[in-house]
Amino acid sequence: MQEYPVKRGQTKDLEERMSHSLREIFGVEPNQKDGHHIIAFGAIKRLEVWAGENNKTVFVDTESDITASDEVILDTNRKFRSYLDLLTGFSTKERVKRAKPKEE
């Protein structure tokens, strides 16, 4: 499970964007259970997304399909990164930078 910060100004409609973006990017209707949005797509057996405290973070839990072909894995990863970009408001580069520990 991974926790991602959500950019300021992107928190108001986070719940709506979670399910809408899953449909838009993956083309799959998400199942909803207790505020968690769950799909299966390509090389991901299970992708579960839910909002953190006050919608300031997003939790993402995934389970990979290790039997998927390289082509499917690449396509799935591309879509997953796009989903995180839309959801958090941060690009991949910005998310990596924020995840690194600060040097003293």
Side-chain angles (χ1 to χ4, degrees):
M1 178 177 62
Q2 189 73 36
E3 182 178 17
Y4 298 96
V6 177
K7 197 176 220 178
R8 270 179 39 178
Q10 301 280 327
T11 58
K12 289 181 181 174
D13 63 343
L14 184 63
E15 280 290 332
E16 183 182 312
R17 279 189 296 121
M18 267 189 228
S19 61
H20 180 263
S21 297
L22 285 170
R23 282 191 294 272
E24 183 181 312
I25 292 175
F26 294 102
V28 176
E29 187 65 34
N31 295 326
Q32 293 186 14
K33 183 179 178 184
D34 300 327
H36 293 219
H37 304 271
I38 306 163
I39 66 163
F41 178 84
I44 299 176
K45 286 183 184 177
R46 184 183 55 81
L47 169 61
E48 187 171 351
V49 184
W50 66 97
E53 190 175 332
N54 296 326
N55 288 350
K56 291 186 178 184
T57 61
V58 172
F59 290 94
V60 179
D61 194 17
T62 59
E63 185 180 336
S64 299
D65 179 5
I66 58 173
T67 62
S69 69
D70 289 344
E71 186 176 306
V72 170
I73 292 170
L74 290 173
D75 179 56
T76 304
N77 284 340
R78 193 174 304 114
K79 289 184 180 193
F80 180 68
R81 286 191 307 271
S82 295
Y83 177 68
L84 288 178
D85 290 351
L86 274 175
L87 196 58
T88 65
F90 292 112
S91 68
T92 303
K93 189 175 182 178
E94 290 170 321
R95 285 194 307 276
V96 169
K97 188 175 181 180
R98 289 177 160 275
K100 288 184 181 176
K102 295 195 165 92
E103 294 181 23
E104 296 180 26

